[in-house]
Amino acid sequence: MYGSIRVSEVEVDKQARTAVVVGGGWAGFGAAHALTKLGFSVTVLDASPSPGGLSTGFRTAQGRPVEAGIKGFWWQYHNIYSLLKEVNVVWPFTDWTMSSFYSPEGIQVEAPVFNELPRLPTPLGSFLYTSPYFRNLSVVDRLTALPLIQALLEFDADEETYAKYDAMTARELFRKAGVSAKLYRDFLQPILLVTLFAPGEQLSAAAALGALYYYVLAHQADFDVCWCKGSVAEAIFKPWLDTLNSQGCRMLGNNRVVDVIYEEESNKITGIIAMDGSGERTVYEADVVVFAVGVQAMQRIVASSPALAGREEFAGISNLGTVDVLATRLWLDRRVPLKNPSNVLAGFEPTTGATLFNLNALQGEFADEPGSVLELDFYHANQLLPLSDDAVIQKVMKDYLTRCEPRFAGAQVVDSSVLRFKNAVTLFGPGSHQHMPSTTTSFQNVFMSGDWLRQGPGAHGARGLSQEKAFVTGLIAANAAAASVGLQAQVEILAVDEDEAHIAAGKAAVQGARRAALALGLTSPFL
């Protein structure tokens, strides 16, 4: 016993090392998956009642199913696609889809399915193949992005360069590069709003370059995306959870971490204190600990734990910002066709981006619905969260849908859902990189994971706020934990595709020229 706190007495393999993973989701499940494979006895603690979103889910007042937003699965999600084979999940995704980019004036551009087209050297393929789909953006405007190539090739050359790009805003970088206002408004801003969930004036230039490089420049097909044909929780996490349970992993929902047990002599966290819904506190003893929660949850844990708050890398997490998200789902009384099933909306609110999905086309359970079933998810939705549900739905219909497609004006909403997520995702703001943790910490046995970890030089190629990055960081944390207790075994982590030869050569040339310029006292035009 630790005072009046109960010590977990669930039987574990006495020969196995114990691991406690704090947080579910892609990072937590990834860490638990790898640690179980590496021979640990694993307990996952999550504040939500059902780790991984596994429950009956959200429901409308009329009982219709709702998800907490929809996210895509991109071409280079190699590790997630490999996981599905490992846990015997039948391919749960749609075909690769085209996407439309809407402004209040209508469709501005469409993104084709690049992997179906002859492969050309990047970025030539994406430039040529999207050209027929631009409605209002001239070739001259698009060519103003060319100076950004230097920044894309040099921004993560080393920690010093990355930190300098991280200190400026993406908007400032685009101005220095001479990007036209129209290209920024109609193309770059929408991409940033739905990949990093904030406008360029609030984003680190380094984070923006990382996302643009990963999704746009690295390979022709990298912007291709598919969607889960049903609930991600049911289609992926449920069979994954069944596999983990069969391997002895304990998933304990409704357990909020409130403190840690610190052993000064060994410099280890030897136990995690969690409180359940009844207020009872339990200590879960651990040889290794992996934190796999988001920024807001980690800030709360640090604030309640003097041992964590006393360490610089954990105290620094308090300097990180977050972004609000709003997820809406509408059932209409009639079908209103959309050109593409997945869409990006920008310019309807000054600093808010949205994604619009035609669920009749994407998810089998809605294919036979008599009316349109639509999902609109809003990012950087600060000004929308205070509105009532009715006001949100009215705004969605009047200010968004009917401006995208006038035929929505005659449709009636027969059911709807509005879900609000305050401080839901990380804000990669200017200067944020220095406050983001790495996999390892100053504690000998504590490791970090999540899509908000540092992503500068040397990091895995999965960047931005992505499910692949979250999953991969869970695997990396598990490998580091195994190494910390002397295990030689490691789980395999698939790398992103190597840079094309001319891009690799360009990086070497630009970075070599930068070093030579620095020796002469010269600097990059962007820095």
Side-chain angles (χ1 to χ4, degrees):
M1 296 289 292
Y2 292 82
S4 60
I5 302 173
R6 185 174 69 88
V7 178
S8 173
E9 296 176 351
V10 175
E11 287 190 17
V12 298
D13 181 352
K14 300 303 182 182
Q15 301 302 314
R17 294 175 173 86
T18 58
V20 172
V21 177
V22 180
W26 284 105
F29 272 54
H33 181 82
L35 287 164
T36 301
K37 290 175 65 175
L38 292 167
F40 285 82
S41 176
V42 180
T43 298
V44 176
L45 302 174
D46 196 272
S48 67
S50 301
L54 297 171
S55 65
T56 55
F58 299 102
R59 296 276 167 176
T60 67
Q62 298 181 31
R64 292 184 172 95
V66 179
E67 287 182 83
I70 292 179
K71 298 182 82 172
F73 292 78
W74 301 84
W75 181 257
Q76 285 219 55
Y77 275 21
H78 300 323
N79 291 280
I80 287 179
Y81 299 145
S82 177
L83 166 75
L84 299 183
K85 295 178 183 178
E86 186 178 343
V87 297
N88 298 315
V89 172
V90 177
W91 186 256
F93 304 120
T94 65
D95 293 334
W96 307 102
T97 65
M98 291 185 65
S99 300
S100 299
F101 286 65
Y102 282 90
S103 78
E105 289 74 44
I107 295 177
Q108 297 301 310
V109 65
E110 294 174 80
V113 178
F114 291 103
N115 73 80
E116 296 176 352
L117 301 168
R119 183 167 179 172
L120 298 175
T122 185
L124 181 61
S126 58
F127 182 84
L128 291 179
Y129 292 140
T130 56
S131 291
Y133 294 100
F134 278 99
R135 307 270 179 106
N136 301 303
L137 197 62
S138 70
V139 172
V140 173
D141 279 309
R142 280 177 273 151
L143 288 175
T144 64
L146 283 177
L148 285 176
I149 291 180
Q150 177 180 341
L152 286 162
L153 294 176
E154 75 173 6
F155 80 99
D156 62 352
D158 50 53
E159 280 290 344
E160 180 184 1
T161 306
Y162 192 93
K164 288 181 178 179
Y165 275 102
D166 185 63
M168 76 171 76
T169 69
R171 190 71 184 98
E172 179 185 359
L173 171 65
F174 296 152
R175 287 197 187 99
K176 286 183 176 182
V179 170
S180 76
K182 190 168 180 58
L183 175 63
Y184 176 74
R185 183 185 68 244
D186 293 349
F187 187 65
L188 292 174
Q189 175 89 315
I191 287 179
L192 295 178
L193 282 169
V194 298
T195 56
L196 293 176
F197 306 146
E201 62 269 22
Q202 296 183 29
L203 287 172
S204 148
L209 288 169
L212 291 173
Y213 185 87
Y214 179 64
Y215 289 113
V216 178
L217 182 67
H219 308 89
Q220 178 178 299
D222 285 353
F223 201 66
D224 287 348
V225 64
C226 59
W227 311 90
C228 191
K229 290 187 287 189
S231 160
V232 172
E234 294 297 325
I236 298 176
F237 277 87
K238 187 177 186 303
W240 193 6
L241 176 63
D242 291 341
T243 299
L244 289 170
N245 285 337
S246 70
Q247 296 170 343
C249 178
R250 289 192 296 164
M251 289 279 178
L252 303 180
N254 208 24
N255 271 268
R256 182 169 61 88
V257 172
V258 294
D259 205 348
V260 301
I261 304 297
Y262 173 56
E263 184 182 85
E264 185 173 3
E265 183 178 353
S266 63
N267 188 33
K268 291 181 178 180
I269 300 297
T270 59
I272 297 292
I273 303 175
M275 183 170 65
D276 64 19
S278 68
E280 182 177 19
R281 299 187 176 209
T282 302
V283 171
Y284 296 90
E285 297 174 322
D287 294 310
V288 298
V289 174
V290 176
F291 285 107
V293 294
V295 168
Q296 184 187 36
M298 196 67 226
Q299 288 172 339
R300 284 198 298 261
I301 292 171
V302 171
S304 66
S305 172
L308 297 179
R311 298 297 176 98
E312 182 178 356
E313 72 268 39
F314 286 95
I317 293 171
S318 298
N319 292 308
L320 297 177
T322 52
V323 173
D324 297 340
V325 177
L326 183 80
T328 67
R329 185 166 292 190
L330 293 80
W331 282 259
L332 305 184
D333 64 347
R334 68 196 68 181
R335 288 285 185 106
V336 179
L338 288 169
K339 186 170 179 57
N340 291 304
S342 60
N343 307 274
V344 173
L345 282 59
F348 296 80
E349 308 275 347
T351 59
T352 299
T355 48
L356 164 62
F357 302 100
N358 176 7
L359 298 185
N360 305 91
L362 293 177
Q363 298 191 357
E365 66 180 308
F366 303 118
D368 297 326
E369 287 275 351
S372 291
V373 182
L374 306 168
E375 174 91 13
L376 286 92
D377 299 331
F378 296 86
Y379 303 103
H380 205 268
N382 314 48
Q383 74 277 15
L384 299 178
L385 263 63
L387 300 179
S388 68
D389 288 1
D390 287 344
V392 168
I393 296 302
Q394 290 175 18
K395 188 175 186 65
V396 167
M397 288 296 298
K398 178 183 177 182
D399 295 346
Y400 285 84
L401 290 177
T402 57
R403 295 171 80 180
C404 293
E405 171 50 66
R407 283 176 286 184
F408 279 113
Q412 299 296 315
V413 178
V414 298
D415 200 3
S416 63
S417 169
V418 178
L419 301 176
R420 297 168 178 80
F421 302 98
K422 187 73 175 173
N423 304 318
V425 295
T426 310
L427 174 62
F428 285 85
S432 60
H433 178 69
Q434 63 186 311
H435 302 300
M436 291 177 173
S438 302
T439 301
T440 56
T441 72
S442 58
F443 296 102
Q444 186 176 330
N445 68 330
V446 176
F447 306 90
M448 305 295 294
S449 63
D451 62 6
W452 55 284
L453 263 62
R454 287 195 175 200
Q455 54 185 30
H460 187 276
R463 303 290 181 94
L465 289 163
S466 73
Q467 296 166 106
E468 176 79 354
K469 181 185 174 185
F471 177 52
V472 165
T473 59
L475 303 182
I476 293 172
N479 280 343
S484 75
V485 296
L487 296 181
Q488 298 297 313
Q490 299 274 276
V491 297
E492 181 183 17
I493 300 173
L494 303 176
V496 298
D497 298 342
E498 291 185 1
D499 287 328
E500 294 180 14
H502 65 288
I503 296 295
K507 278 187 173 182
V510 167
Q511 293 170 13
R514 180 176 181 276
R515 288 191 293 270
L518 287 174
L520 297 173
L522 305 175
T523 61
S524 164
F526 302 122
L527 301 178

